[in-house]
Amino acid sequence: MSQVDRRILKSQKAIKKAVTELMSEKRFDQITVQDIVDRADVSRKTFYLRYLDKFDLLDKLIEEHINEMQKICESASETDDLAEGMTWFEYFEDNYSFFSALLDSKGAPFFRSRLLNFVIEDMKNGWDINIKEGKNQGLNEDVLLQFFGAAYVQVVEWWFTNEMPYPPHVMEEQIEILLERNL
C-alpha cells in the first residue's frame, strides 16, 4: 500500500476545513471555488487535482462522514456494547462544525437524504424490527423504516439546530428508549 504524500494530506485537510468554515458564514450556493482555495491557501490547480467542483468536494465530505459512521456501526456490532465504542451522537458532537454548517447550508437536502438512506440501511441490517407479531404486526416494513429513519434524522437536525442542548449519551439513551417502546 502506497503512502499519501503529507503535503497532499495537508492540502486536503485545509480545503475541507475551509469549506466547513465558509459554510458556517454563508450559504453553500454562494461559496465559490476561489473562496475555498483562498481560505485554504492552496492553488486552484491543487483543488482541481482532487475535486471536480465544490459539489464534488461536498459529496466526498459527506461520504467520508457516512463511512466513519459505518465504522462506528461495525465496531458496535463487534463488541455489542455501546459503552465501549463511540456513538453516532458523539461523532456528531466531535464534528459539530461540519454538521451544523451543513444543516444550515444548501447542502442540507443532499445530506439529509444521504443520512436517511444510511440510517434505514443500518436499521435493516442490525435493528430488531418485528412486523410479524406484536404491535407492528401487519405493518409494511418499508413504511416502518421510513417512519423511524425520518424521525431519527429529524432528531439529529433538531439537536444541531438547538446547539446540542443535551449531551450525546442522553440523546442516545432517549432514542434507544423511544425505539424500544415502538419497535
Side-chain angles (χ1 to χ4, degrees):
M1 185 165 120
S2 63
Q3 278 193 314
V4 178
D5 188 311
R6 286 187 301 164
R7 292 172 295 179
I8 293 171
L9 293 175
K10 186 177 178 183
S11 296
Q12 287 177 322
K13 185 175 179 180
I15 290 168
K16 292 172 186 178
K17 182 179 180 200
V19 75
T20 300
E21 289 173 356
L22 287 164
M23 284 191 311
S24 70
E25 297 168 14
K26 55 186 173 180
R27 297 175 61 88
F28 185 73
D29 61 342
Q30 297 172 328
I31 297 171
T32 65
V33 170
Q34 191 62 51
D35 292 334
I36 297 167
V37 299
D38 287 346
R39 179 71 61 100
D41 195 23
V42 298
S43 69
R44 289 177 70 88
K45 180 180 176 185
T46 298
F47 180 90
Y48 286 115
L49 282 172
R50 299 283 168 238
Y51 309 103
L52 299 173
D53 54 25
K54 69 180 188 176
F55 299 101
D56 184 45
L57 167 60
L58 183 61
D59 289 348
K60 287 181 177 169
L61 274 170
I62 290 170
E63 272 314 300
E64 190 177 291
H65 285 287
I66 296 293
N67 289 339
E68 287 301 314
M69 292 174 63
Q70 181 63 42
K71 289 177 187 175
I72 291 168
C73 293
E74 291 166 3
S75 175
S77 68
E78 288 172 8
T79 63
D80 245 3
D81 185 6
L82 282 178
E84 288 185 24
M86 178 180 268
T87 65
W88 285 355
F89 276 94
E90 289 170 331
Y91 183 78
F92 291 144
E93 181 183 51
D94 287 351
N95 295 279
Y96 176 79
S97 60
F98 174 76
F99 289 113
S100 63
L102 188 60
L103 289 169
D104 285 340
S105 77
K106 271 281 203 193
F110 176 72
F111 170 68
R112 275 189 215 98
S113 173
R114 185 63 186 93
L115 181 60
L116 176 60
N117 290 337
F118 172 74
V119 169
I120 288 171
E121 281 305 308
D122 189 56
M123 289 172 74
K124 282 182 187 177
N125 296 329
W127 299 16
D128 188 22
I129 300 172
N130 189 350
I131 58 170
K132 293 186 172 112
E133 56 188 55
K135 62 184 145 201
N136 293 325
Q137 183 177 3
L139 293 177
N140 182 296
E141 183 179 21
D142 290 332
V143 173
L144 202 60
L145 290 168
Q146 287 295 322
F147 181 82
F148 285 108
Y152 188 93
V153 170
Q154 182 59 41
V155 168
V156 169
E157 186 174 4
W158 168 85
W159 192 60
F160 278 112
T161 303
N162 290 284
E163 299 178 355
M164 302 183 304
Y166 304 104
H169 73 277
V170 170
M171 294 302 296
E172 291 289 342
E173 289 168 1
Q174 295 284 304
I175 287 176
E176 191 174 319
I177 291 167
L178 286 168
L179 290 171
E180 284 175 5
R181 287 181 184 172
N182 294 290
L183 284 179

